[in-house]
Amino acid sequence: MPDVALEWNVLSIRLTAFPSTILKEQPTGWWTGVTGYEPEEQSSRPREGVYQYSGPCPSTELPNSALVLAVRPERIDWILSGAMNAEPPVHEITTIGSLPNITNTFLPLVLKWFIDFAPPATRVALGVVLLATINSRAEGYQGLSNYLPAVKLDPENCSDFLYRINRPRKSIGLPGGALINRLTGWSVMEYASMA
Protein backbone atom coordinates (compact mmCIF):
# COMPACT_ATOMS: atom_id res chain seq x y z
CA MET A 1 0.00 0.00 0.00
CA PRO A 2 1.45 3.45 -0.92
CA ASP A 3 2.17 6.13 1.67
CA VAL A 4 -0.90 8.08 2.73
CA ALA A 5 -0.46 11.79 3.45
CA LEU A 6 -2.89 12.92 6.14
CA GLU A 7 -4.29 16.46 6.09
CA TRP A 8 -4.88 17.52 9.69
CA ASN A 9 -7.62 19.93 10.77
CA VAL A 10 -8.57 21.14 14.24
CA LEU A 11 -11.63 19.90 16.12
CA SER A 12 -10.75 21.96 19.20
CA ILE A 13 -7.87 23.72 20.92
CA ARG A 14 -7.64 24.37 24.65
CA LEU A 15 -5.37 26.29 26.97
CA THR A 16 -5.59 25.33 30.67
CA ALA A 17 -3.94 27.18 33.55
CA PHE A 18 -3.79 25.94 37.14
CA PRO A 19 -3.54 28.99 39.43
CA SER A 20 -0.95 28.92 42.21
CA THR A 21 -3.67 29.99 44.68
CA ILE A 22 -7.36 29.14 44.67
CA LEU A 23 -9.44 31.76 42.82
CA LYS A 24 -11.97 33.32 45.16
CA GLU A 25 -13.52 36.08 43.04
CA GLN A 26 -15.35 36.31 39.73
CA PRO A 27 -12.89 37.00 36.87
CA THR A 28 -14.21 40.47 36.03
CA GLY A 29 -13.02 41.87 32.71
CA TRP A 30 -11.19 38.81 31.38
CA TRP A 31 -13.62 37.97 28.56
CA THR A 32 -14.21 41.53 27.39
CA GLY A 33 -10.55 42.47 27.74
CA VAL A 34 -9.47 39.56 25.53
CA THR A 35 -12.27 39.47 22.94
CA GLY A 36 -13.33 43.13 22.82
CA TYR A 37 -17.04 42.31 23.22
CA GLU A 38 -19.51 41.10 25.86
CA PRO A 39 -20.12 37.31 25.98
CA GLU A 40 -23.21 36.00 24.21
CA GLU A 41 -23.83 33.56 27.04
CA GLN A 42 -22.64 33.43 30.62
CA SER A 43 -23.43 31.35 33.65
CA SER A 44 -22.25 31.41 37.24
CA ARG A 45 -22.40 29.39 40.42
CA PRO A 46 -20.76 31.85 42.85
CA ARG A 47 -20.97 29.56 45.89
CA GLU A 48 -18.83 27.03 44.00
CA GLY A 49 -16.66 29.68 42.30
CA VAL A 50 -17.65 28.43 38.84
CA TYR A 51 -18.09 30.88 35.93
CA GLN A 52 -18.47 30.31 32.19
CA TYR A 53 -18.51 32.80 29.31
CA SER A 54 -18.98 32.01 25.62
CA GLY A 55 -19.48 33.59 22.25
CA PRO A 56 -18.23 33.55 18.68
CA CYS A 57 -14.51 33.68 18.05
CA PRO A 58 -13.45 37.33 17.54
CA SER A 59 -11.71 36.44 14.26
CA THR A 60 -13.81 36.89 11.12
CA GLU A 61 -11.63 34.20 9.53
CA LEU A 62 -13.27 31.54 11.75
CA PRO A 63 -17.02 32.18 11.38
CA ASN A 64 -18.02 28.65 12.44
CA SER A 65 -16.14 28.59 15.71
CA ALA A 66 -16.98 29.39 19.32
CA LEU A 67 -14.80 30.56 22.19
CA VAL A 68 -15.40 29.50 25.80
CA LEU A 69 -13.81 30.73 29.02
CA ALA A 70 -14.50 28.30 31.88
CA VAL A 71 -13.26 29.28 35.35
CA ARG A 72 -13.18 27.11 38.46
CA PRO A 73 -11.33 27.90 41.71
CA GLU A 74 -8.45 25.59 40.77
CA ARG A 75 -8.54 25.68 36.95
CA ILE A 76 -9.02 28.10 34.03
CA ASP A 77 -9.81 26.91 30.48
CA TRP A 78 -9.91 28.83 27.21
CA ILE A 79 -11.44 26.58 24.51
CA LEU A 80 -11.93 27.22 20.80
CA SER A 81 -14.14 24.69 18.98
CA GLY A 82 -17.03 24.44 16.53
CA ALA A 83 -19.92 26.87 16.88
CA MET A 84 -22.30 25.78 19.63
CA ASN A 85 -25.49 26.15 17.59
CA ALA A 86 -24.16 25.22 14.14
CA GLU A 87 -25.75 22.23 12.41
CA PRO A 88 -23.02 19.91 11.09
CA PRO A 89 -23.58 18.30 7.70
CA VAL A 90 -25.26 14.92 8.10
CA HIS A 91 -22.36 12.78 6.88
CA GLU A 92 -19.32 14.46 8.41
CA ILE A 93 -17.68 15.64 11.58
CA THR A 94 -16.92 19.32 11.16
CA THR A 95 -13.60 20.91 12.00
CA ILE A 96 -12.82 24.59 12.51
CA GLY A 97 -9.79 24.97 10.25
CA SER A 98 -6.18 24.10 9.66
CA LEU A 99 -3.75 24.07 12.58
CA PRO A 100 -1.75 27.13 11.37
CA ASN A 101 -4.93 29.21 10.94
CA ILE A 102 -6.29 28.20 14.33
CA THR A 103 -3.05 28.81 16.24
CA ASN A 104 -2.64 32.20 14.50
CA THR A 105 -6.04 33.16 15.94
CA PHE A 106 -6.08 31.38 19.31
CA LEU A 107 -2.56 31.98 20.59
CA PRO A 108 -2.71 35.82 20.38
CA LEU A 109 -5.98 35.74 22.38
CA VAL A 110 -4.58 33.61 25.20
CA LEU A 111 -1.28 35.50 25.14
CA LYS A 112 -3.21 38.74 25.71
CA TRP A 113 -4.96 37.06 28.65
CA PHE A 114 -1.62 35.90 30.10
CA ILE A 115 -0.06 39.35 29.83
CA ASP A 116 -3.03 41.43 31.03
CA PHE A 117 -5.16 39.26 33.32
CA ALA A 118 -3.83 35.80 34.22
CA PRO A 119 -3.11 35.01 37.86
CA PRO A 120 0.21 33.30 38.66
CA ALA A 121 0.03 29.62 37.65
CA THR A 122 1.83 26.49 38.77
CA ARG A 123 1.10 24.62 35.55
CA VAL A 124 -0.10 25.40 32.03
CA ALA A 125 -1.31 22.97 29.37
CA LEU A 126 -2.05 23.39 25.67
CA GLY A 127 -4.14 20.68 24.02
CA VAL A 128 -5.23 20.27 20.42
CA VAL A 129 -7.58 17.65 18.99
CA LEU A 130 -6.78 17.07 15.31
CA LEU A 131 -8.72 15.09 12.72
CA ALA A 132 -7.65 13.80 9.33
CA THR A 133 -10.43 12.49 7.10
CA ILE A 134 -9.57 9.33 5.17
CA ASN A 135 -11.45 7.00 2.81
CA SER A 136 -11.06 3.72 4.64
CA ARG A 137 -9.87 2.17 7.90
CA ALA A 138 -6.86 0.64 6.12
CA GLU A 139 -5.90 4.06 4.72
CA GLY A 140 -6.11 5.49 8.26
CA TYR A 141 -3.72 2.87 9.63
CA GLN A 142 -1.35 3.38 6.72
CA GLY A 143 -1.38 7.13 7.38
CA LEU A 144 -0.61 6.60 11.07
CA SER A 145 2.32 4.35 10.16
CA ASN A 146 4.06 7.43 8.76
CA TYR A 147 3.87 9.11 12.18
CA LEU A 148 4.60 6.02 14.30
CA PRO A 149 7.38 4.17 12.47
CA ALA A 150 8.34 2.11 15.56
CA VAL A 151 4.80 0.72 15.87
CA LYS A 152 4.14 -2.14 13.46
CA LEU A 153 0.61 -1.81 12.08
CA ASP A 154 -1.08 -4.16 9.64
CA PRO A 155 -3.35 -1.70 7.79
CA GLU A 156 -5.59 -4.40 6.35
CA ASN A 157 -6.20 -6.30 9.59
CA CYS A 158 -5.90 -3.76 12.44
CA SER A 159 -8.82 -2.47 14.47
CA ASP A 160 -9.46 -0.72 17.82
CA PHE A 161 -5.99 0.86 17.84
CA LEU A 162 -5.26 3.42 20.55
CA TYR A 163 -1.70 4.60 21.23
CA ARG A 164 -0.82 7.16 23.89
CA ILE A 165 2.63 8.25 25.00
CA ASN A 166 4.33 11.03 26.97
CA ARG A 167 7.72 12.17 25.72
CA PRO A 168 8.96 14.77 28.26
CA ARG A 169 11.56 17.28 27.10
CA LYS A 170 13.60 19.90 28.93
CA SER A 171 12.62 23.42 28.01
CA ILE A 172 15.20 25.63 26.35
CA GLY A 173 13.23 28.80 27.13
CA LEU A 174 12.09 28.36 30.72
CA PRO A 175 14.28 28.91 33.79
CA GLY A 176 16.16 25.86 35.00
CA GLY A 177 15.28 23.79 31.93
CA ALA A 178 11.79 23.00 33.26
CA LEU A 179 10.37 19.69 32.09
CA ILE A 180 7.62 19.91 29.46
CA ASN A 181 5.33 16.91 29.07
CA ARG A 182 4.46 16.15 25.44
CA LEU A 183 1.50 13.81 25.61
CA THR A 184 0.13 12.49 22.32
CA GLY A 185 -2.60 10.03 21.51
CA TRP A 186 -3.33 8.34 18.19
CA SER A 187 -6.32 6.33 16.98
CA VAL A 188 -8.32 5.46 13.90
CA MET A 189 -12.06 5.87 14.10
CA GLU A 190 -14.78 4.75 11.70
CA TYR A 191 -17.70 7.15 11.54
CA ALA A 192 -21.11 6.34 10.11
CA SER A 193 -24.32 8.32 10.33
CA MET A 194 -27.63 6.61 10.96
CA ALA A 195 -30.41 8.06 8.81
Side-chain angles (χ1 to χ4, degrees):
M1 180 178 267
D3 277 354
V4 175
L6 300 179
E7 292 184 26
W8 296 101
N9 284 294
V10 177
L11 281 173
S12 66
I13 185 167
R14 172 185 51 86
L15 178 111
T16 301
F18 298 92
S20 55
T21 58
I22 296 295
L23 298 178
K24 296 181 180 175
E25 296 181 6
Q26 184 173 359
T28 307
W30 290 5
W31 177 273
T32 307
V34 168
T35 65
Y37 66 88
E38 294 294 323
E40 281 194 356
E41 295 180 15
Q42 60 184 36
S43 62
S44 63
R45 298 198 308 266
R47 290 177 67 184
E48 300 169 42
V50 175
Y51 303 91
Q52 183 163 308
Y53 309 85
S54 61
C57 178
S59 171
T60 56
E61 294 178 21
L62 302 174
N64 296 319
S65 61
L67 186 65
V68 173
L69 167 61
V71 180
R72 303 182 71 82
E74 73 289 345
R75 176 179 174 146
I76 302 159
D77 289 295
W78 284 94
I79 305 162
L80 182 64
S81 61
M84 293 171 282
N85 48 8
E87 290 286 330
V90 175
H91 295 292
E92 64 182 73
I93 299 172
T94 56
T95 59
I96 55 174
S98 69
L99 186 58
N101 286 346
I102 299 305
T103 55
N104 287 341
T105 298
F106 185 71
L107 295 182
L109 290 173
V110 295
L111 184 59
K112 179 171 180 49
W113 174 72
F114 267 116
I115 292 169
D116 296 342
F117 303 103
T122 57
R123 191 164 53 116
V124 175
L126 179 66
V128 183
V129 179
L130 298 172
L131 175 74
T133 303
I134 40 85
N135 296 316
S136 68
R137 182 173 47 85
E139 187 178 301
Y141 283 110
Q142 182 61 38
L144 281 190
S145 294
N146 297 330
Y147 293 91
L148 305 169
V151 178
K152 299 302 177 202
L153 295 171
D154 177 356
E156 298 297 331
N157 298 305
C158 285
S159 67
D160 301 318
F161 176 76
L162 177 62
Y163 182 75
R164 187 172 171 171
I165 189 167
N166 184 15
R167 293 190 169 111
R169 295 289 187 267
K170 281 194 174 183
S171 165
I172 57 171
L174 295 174
L179 202 61
I180 297 176
N181 288 320
R182 298 187 315 151
L183 183 65
T184 57
W186 305 85
S187 67
V188 174
M189 172 181 71
E190 276 189 280
Y191 171 76
S193 64
M194 305 294 280

